[in-house]
């Protein structure tokens, strides 16, 4: 089965909780007089199925693949989970400022990011897609000359977009905060194409039959890992639970739950 990774963002900082927690907290895990310890996870919840806001039943809750993994890890380590929702490019600063214990947002552990945060082992791999309106004559990156390319601000896709611009200065890059903003820009014609992770792209393609996509060949391996503040003592414990999830088949079950079989 193919493995994929995710990057995400939202417009405003908000706080939603998982489990019994009820309010935004700081990055330091806390123990109340009558309650369990809490781990604060920062994410950018506009990137289904990894993390997104579910509004069914008139309530708002952040759910998704990453959330299920985080909830399981927190339970195994004896914590409750609290989720802080923010723009993707604010996630690493949130760790550095002590406003979160860890980040799960399909974040790729690039060398640049490793200078500022620590990472767990990779738990999921992915591919990038070039998404564009059906009216555009695009078969791959070579067809982007003279076109405007949408990317998510602060993401690995923005880095890839910058590389494409370096190779062809006739490409104009348009960084935006949220994926749904990028899709709207595509549909309005204000951008000609966008780089979006394959599983995320699949959801938007299913809901927008006027869009098309082609895979961008991978030049190097990519994947999602959990980010922590530099020097965090939680990395080893998280890696242990991630390994147990893989060995027990639970990780595969969650992949099937959120992504299907990944074939075809």
């Amino acid at each position: 089965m193919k493995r994929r990774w995710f990057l995400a963002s939202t417009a405003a900082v908000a706080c939603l909780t998982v489990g019994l927690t009820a309010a935004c907290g700081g990055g330091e895990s806390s123990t109340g007089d009558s309650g369990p310890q809490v781990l604060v996870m920062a994410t950018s919840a506009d990137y289904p199925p990894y993390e997104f806001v579910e509004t069914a039943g008139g309530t708002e809750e952040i759910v998704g693949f990453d959330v299920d993994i985080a909830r399981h890890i927190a339970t195994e380590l004896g914590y409750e989970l609290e989720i802080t929702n923010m723009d993707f490019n604010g996630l690493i600063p949130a760790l550095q400022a002590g406003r979160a214990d860890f980040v799960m947002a399909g974040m790729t552990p690039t060398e640049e990011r490793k200078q500022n945060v620590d990472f767990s082992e990779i738990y999921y791999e992915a591919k990038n897609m070039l998404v564009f309106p059906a009216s555009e004559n695009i078969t791959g990156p070579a067809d982007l000359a003279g076109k405007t390319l949408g990317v998510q601000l602060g993401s690995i896709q923005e880095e890839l977009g910058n590389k494409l611009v370096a190779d062809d200065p006739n490409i104009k890059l348009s960084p935006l905060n949220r994926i749904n903003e990028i899709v709207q820009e595509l549909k309005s014609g204000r951008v000609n194409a966008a780089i979006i992770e394959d599983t995320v792209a699949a959801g938007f393609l299913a809901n927008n039959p006027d869009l098309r996509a082609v895979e961008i060949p991978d030049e190097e391996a990519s994947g999602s890992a959990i980010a922590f503040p530099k020097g965090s003592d939680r990395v080893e414990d998280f890696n242990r639970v991630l390994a147990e999830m893989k060995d027990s088949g639970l990780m595969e079950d969650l992949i099937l739950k959120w992504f299907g079989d990944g074939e075809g």
Side-chain angles (χ1 to χ4, degrees), residues 145-188:
K147 298 184 183 297
T148 300
L149 180 64
V151 292
Q152 185 179 32
L153 189 65
S155 71
I156 195 73
Q157 283 87 2
E158 183 182 21
E159 294 180 19
L160 177 55
N162 285 326
K163 291 178 182 178
L164 294 176
V165 171
D167 291 337
D168 186 349
N170 291 316
I171 300 172
K172 179 182 178 181
L173 206 63
S174 178
L176 296 164
N177 274 320
R178 296 182 291 168
I179 297 301
N180 56 359
E181 290 177 350
I182 294 174
V183 173
Q184 288 303 313
E185 293 291 284
L186 280 173
K187 293 173 69 65
S188 69

Side-chain angles (χ1 to χ4, degrees), residues 17-23 35-36 38 71 79-82:
T17 60
V18 174
L20 300 178
T21 56
V38 173
R71 181 187 293 117
Y79 294 91
E80 287 189 353
L81 182 66
E82 181 178 298

Side-chain angles (χ1 to χ4, degrees), residues 5-6 16 37 93 102 109 121 126 164 167-168 170 210 224 261:
W5 61 277
F6 237 62
L16 294 173
Q37 289 186 317
F102 66 99
E121 297 295 329
L164 294 176
D167 291 337
D168 186 349
N170 291 316
D210 55 331
S224 290
D261 62 13

Side-chain angles (χ1 to χ4, degrees), residues 4-8 46-48 126-132 149-152 155-158 160-161 178-184 186 191 193-205 208 211-216 218:
R4 303 174 172 89
W5 61 277
F6 237 62
L7 298 166
D46 73 332
Y47 222 57
K127 300 180 183 297
N128 284 316
M129 304 294 288
L130 201 57
V131 181
F132 50 90
L149 180 64
V151 292
Q152 185 179 32
S155 71
I156 195 73
Q157 283 87 2
E158 183 182 21
L160 177 55
R178 296 182 291 168
I179 297 301
N180 56 359
E181 290 177 350
I182 294 174
V183 173
Q184 288 303 313
L186 280 173
V191 301
I195 304 175
I196 302 176
E197 188 270 334
D198 58 349
T199 307
V200 180
F204 284 107
L205 290 168
N208 297 276
L211 298 180
R212 301 287 184 270
V214 295
E215 183 179 320
I216 301 175
D218 287 335

